[in-house]
Amino acid sequence: MDLISHPGTLLLPASFCAVLMVLALVRRGWCNDVDHPVYPVEASADRITRLEGAVAPLMALSEDRMVDLVPDRTGFRFMGCPNCDEGTQEGQLSWSIEDPDRVQCRYCGVRLPNETYPEDGTMRVRNPLGDEVVYPYWEEETGYRYLFSAKGWREARVTLSGRCQDLGALYQMTGERAYARRAVLILDAFARYYPGFLVSNDRAFQQKGFFLEPPYPNHGGKWGRWRADEIPTNLVYAYDSVHTSGELERLAEETGVDVKSRIEEDLFRGAIRQDGFHGPQYGNASPRIYHGYAVIGRVIGDPSLVHEAVRRSKGLFERRFYADGFWCEGSVGYHRMTMGGMQTTLDVLRGHSDPPGYADPVDGTRFDDLDVEKEIAVIGKARQILEICRYPDGRRITVHDCRGDFQDLAVPERSAPALFTGVGHAWLGCGEGENQVQAHLHFSGAHGHAHADNLNLTLFAKGHELLSDLGYTHTRYRKWTTSTLAHNTVLIDERGQYVERDQDPTEGRLLAFETAVGTVQWVEASAERVYPGVAKEYRRTVALIPAREGDAYVVDLFRVEGGTQHDWVIHGNADADGSGEADVSLEPFGDHMLPGAAVRYPAHERDEGEAEGRDSSYMFFQNVSRAEARNGVRVGFGIENAGVGVRAHLPTLSDAEV
């Protein structure tokens, strides 16, 4: 196979390049005249005032100084502060137009680089154009490199591309060509620099660098920090807004360059070509790519890109949503993110019509007054998930990687049982208002952003989450929050559950769900696959039984066969200070639950800590007391200043340790 190359860039088979060229010719052949703006901006006095304030720092600069702020190379998102350890995900450093040559820590206030942390090292690399580019850094004693300037370049890219869209919107709303002029200057600068951008290796708490040739990993990004951010969609909106302003032609006369062509071919189609190295993907952030394809296709008049956006959008629902409407990762938070991205994509596709005579070369379809939603059967159920999957206080159910906050969710009037057989989650529910009770049983697999939490039980009553699931965190305790021991379930032989993803899924099995026999509700599931080769039986039955008015109790039967040690775990409320009690005589046990083991706690979220080869999650229980349970035990958790608590009765427990 013949190879063609350019200095400092990647090698591609000649046949592949020919295919790319043919596709480009086909697409340009169908480019039709576009009536700009394709996406009109809704004007209001308040919006004009707000956007004028946002762009004021740019408008105060000279044109040359403003263009100088546009970064000419790839930056990095994840870059921590060497002066403090506050914040999460190496996200401490900020950048501003007023001080563009340094970044500043949001927490300790230090400005970087400085005399203490000088960028006295240099990393040199050749970009795709064959030019050598320099990345300065400061290196700490461990060898970890901090690239403060590159962090500033990344934040400048985000800020200036966002302001460019604002400038375009202001031109649409006011007709002031000064706004269009500034937008065009920023667009052209990015179009000049983008071909030379490198694909970054940008992950929190890992050494930063670049991927110089394909295949590029999912977290390798040329425009953003990963491939889901590859399309500069806000710049496409800006281009759409200023297309008829005359400023593109004016700059072309000044520079002697076809500015429109440079923006469309080198920047917008360049991003499409970069995404082509990955091919279609169907993850929670993939709708950003579909959105970009749709907007570029409509703005530059290339219907093939619109058709690709539609194919991928349909493919996401077909491949990654369960029949019950749940996003495959089982997290309500990531369901919200995915559906939000898809709704934006569907909105920008709506109403598109192909040029006369067009038929897509891939599947032969054409669109007239497009409405993709009508062709996606599961979308109605998917939209209901956020409304249904709520605790009685309105919070999202904090299963897997989901934050337990209140964003945009109303408090339900009553609780009723619900079953999601696809994702593997059910709850029993009763009561109205402040007397709502929910008992949740989780038996999902692991398809990304999952925890080792099969057969986890959570309980909500009396206005509080009484048996809790911590949900999502980016703190140094992430290992703890995802561990089996952090959930209300059972561990076998002091080991967390086996968690695998699509290659070997570990879904549980629903065995029973009954809510129509009198007032008693119950659900049962098993999950032997989370302890492969060990658990002969791993099954939980949960029943919700009403008591006096406004009260209820839960019966929990957990059957385990296999292994020699079974740890049944419950956790009280995670939102407020509280107290614990037990009806057995407790004595001090130790600093943690791994006596005799030397432990090291994590330094950041990617660090799991160490416990001499034992399950490190046990070291997170601290200031431990113990007792023998010989004839049952009762433990309870109370919530401070709430007058609310929960008691767990284990009436037959014997020869056990608490």
Side-chain angles (χ1 to χ4, degrees), residues 533-549:
V534 177
K536 298 178 181 178
E537 183 176 36
Y538 193 77
R539 177 160 55 122
R540 191 168 206 165
T541 307
V542 178
L544 178 63
I545 304 170
R548 62 188 181 186
E549 184 176 355

Side-chain angles (χ1 to χ4, degrees), residues 451-517:
H451 294 187
D453 61 353
N454 224 304
L455 301 192
N456 183 48
L457 170 69
T458 53
L459 175 64
F460 194 106
K462 302 294 184 182
H464 298 273
E465 189 181 10
L466 299 179
L467 300 181
S468 63
D469 186 329
L470 292 172
Y472 203 5
T473 179
H474 279 300
T475 69
R476 67 190 65 182
Y477 297 104
R478 176 158 175 77
K479 163 64 177 178
W480 161 248
T481 62
T482 62
S483 71
T484 304
L485 195 66
H487 295 84
N488 305 304
T489 186
V490 169
L491 288 83
I492 299 179
D493 292 343
E494 202 180 275
R495 286 169 38 208
Q497 296 176 358
Y498 170 70
V499 176
E500 191 46 79
R501 304 191 185 278
D502 297 333
Q503 297 81 6
D504 186 16
T506 50
E507 283 93 351
R509 293 184 299 145
L510 178 69
L511 303 177
F513 182 75
E514 180 58 71
T515 63
V517 179

Side-chain angles (χ1 to χ4, degrees), residues 126-157:
R126 292 204 175 272
N127 70 12
L129 302 178
D131 301 325
E132 183 181 76
V133 290
V134 175
Y135 282 79
Y137 63 83
W138 175 78
E139 186 173 343
E140 64 180 8
E141 292 180 356
T142 64
Y144 191 72
R145 296 172 176 176
Y146 291 82
L147 293 92
F148 307 123
S149 293
K151 170 64 174 177
W153 300 333
R154 192 270 179 183
E155 296 306 315
R157 194 270 298 167

Side-chain angles (χ1 to χ4, degrees), residues 589-657:
F589 178 73
D591 293 334
H592 49 72
M593 287 187 68
L594 298 174
V599 303
R600 180 186 64 80
Y601 291 95
H604 53 75
E605 69 169 294
R606 291 190 179 275
D607 182 6
E608 296 187 357
E610 297 176 357
E612 295 188 335
R614 300 177 72 178
D615 187 333
S616 61
S617 63
Y618 280 83
M619 69 186 181
F620 287 93
F621 275 126
Q622 298 177 19
N623 303 317
V624 181
S625 298
R626 70 170 294 280
E628 296 288 335
R630 303 186 183 280
N631 187 27
V633 66
R634 185 185 71 215
V635 297
F637 300 105
I639 301 174
E640 190 173 284
N641 301 321
V644 174
V646 61
R647 290 194 187 96
H649 304 262
L650 292 88
T652 62
L653 191 67
S654 61
D655 297 323
E657 193 176 28

Side-chain angles (χ1 to χ4, degrees), residues 320 322 327-330 400 423 444-450 499-507:
R320 304 288 278 169
Y322 289 107
W327 171 244
C328 63
E329 292 177 299
H400 291 327
V423 70
S444 180
H447 300 278
H449 283 285
V499 176
E500 191 46 79
R501 304 191 185 278
D502 297 333
Q503 297 81 6
D504 186 16
T506 50
E507 283 93 351

